Amino acid sequence: MRGSRLAGQLATGLGGSLLLPFLVELGMASMLGQNFSLRRGAIFVGVLAGGSGLLLAIDRLTEYRKRRAELRAEPDVERAAPEHVTHHALTPYGPETDGVVALCAARLGLSSLHYVAYHARGKGLFRVDVLDHPDLAPLVGLATPDRHREIYENYGARLKALMTHLDDDFDELDSGRLIRLVLDVEKGAVFVIEVHEHSGRYLLGVTLDQSHVDTADNELRKLTAEIRQYLGHPAVPVAGD
């Protein structure tokens, strides 16, 4: 990345200095009592322009290769079909929240997030999940999907309260607010991530698959950014971006 930036800076500097060879040629001709050579100046300009173009090409190629590497590194997520997504309103909400429901449902997958609940001002507004999908039955285990939902709903407010408590404890360290909590359990993980501080919006996400904890974590951070954008708030960097 540093090499790419350096190439871009050098290219910009060279591109902005195409008049320099003429000035140098004019100064040298004046000092040596010679005639100004337009030809020599043009040659110098050509060399600088060629170098600038080459560095710009290197810069663009480096960025292209970096982006391709990033795309290859992103894991494939097996998205859940709409008919397998269960949606339940926990509290009456307005039509503007329907867009958030759609964003959350789109991030669910058999190889990533299995459950997402959306909270605002201390209340759960809705949840979406794929816990009823037959392929997840071994991961759901002895507890029924409804029992999973009940426990996640009960702990949604408690985990956010825990984040607030920990935030107060770390306040004197000047480390900034605690915006994400991850409970890495033997079978998957539970995540709590802040969406917007002042409106008390946050997400509770769950994956039941330990092998997909990192993927689910990444999907939830992307979802948070999408919801912030949908609500008209600027993006906030999250660790790992």
Side-chain angles (χ1 to χ4, degrees):
M1 186 66 179
R2 292 181 59 187
S4 174
R5 289 177 180 173
L6 179 60
Q9 291 170 356
L10 288 174
T12 302
L14 288 175
S17 305
L18 296 181
L19 290 178
L20 184 60
F22 288 107
L23 296 178
V24 172
E25 173 63 21
L26 182 61
M28 291 296 295
S30 176
M31 290 175 57
L32 299 176
Q34 298 177 352
N35 293 329
F36 172 75
S37 175
L38 181 62
R39 183 171 178 271
R40 279 201 302 262
I43 292 174
F44 291 151
V45 168
V47 171
L48 282 176
S52 177
L54 178 61
L55 288 175
L56 278 173
I58 293 174
D59 184 52
R60 297 294 181 266
L61 181 60
T62 302
E63 287 295 323
Y64 173 73
R65 287 178 174 174
K66 177 177 177 292
R67 180 55 187 158
R68 288 200 61 182
E70 289 175 348
L71 291 175
R72 286 196 299 267
E74 292 182 357
D76 291 330
V77 175
E78 185 181 355
R79 301 295 178 188
E83 60 267 23
H84 290 299
V85 175
T86 299
H87 164 254
H88 180 71
L90 305 175
T91 304
Y93 55 78
E96 70 281 355
T97 304
D98 290 336
V100 181
V101 174
L103 291 174
C104 292
R107 283 291 171 186
L108 295 175
L110 301 183
S111 58
S112 59
L113 287 168
H114 300 141
Y115 175 99
V116 175
Y118 181 68
H119 298 253
R121 302 195 184 282
K123 295 181 179 180
L125 295 189
F126 67 83
R127 60 166 168 78
V128 290
D129 65 72
V130 290
L131 299 178
D132 289 321
H133 196 290
D135 289 352
L136 294 182
L139 297 176
V140 171
L142 298 178
T144 66
D146 283 339
R147 183 56 179 159
H148 277 267
R149 295 173 183 124
E150 181 182 351
I151 291 176
Y152 299 149
E153 289 171 21
N154 289 339
Y155 276 90
R158 297 185 190 182
L159 290 176
K160 187 62 171 68
L162 174 60
M163 287 181 64
T164 302
H165 178 71
L166 293 173
D167 198 17
D168 293 339
D169 288 345
F170 282 92
D171 184 58
E172 61 180 286
L173 299 180
D174 194 28
S175 57
R177 291 181 301 102
L178 180 63
I179 60 175
R180 189 165 61 112
L181 178 68
V182 180
L183 302 180
D184 195 348
V185 296
E186 187 175 355
K187 291 175 61 177
V190 179
F191 312 90
V192 180
I193 185 168
E194 181 182 277
V195 175
H196 186 244
E197 176 189 9
H198 300 299
S199 62
R201 288 182 169 89
Y202 66 95
L203 296 171
L204 184 144
V206 177
T207 181
L208 301 177
D209 193 336
Q210 182 63 33
S211 65
H212 292 137
V213 168
D214 290 341
T215 302
D217 189 13
N218 192 42
E219 288 291 298
L220 192 64
R221 289 189 290 110
K222 290 178 180 178
L223 174 59
T224 302
E226 290 173 348
I227 294 175
R228 286 188 61 86
Q229 183 179 16
Y230 174 80
L231 297 174
H233 301 302
V236 175
V238 179
D241 284 347

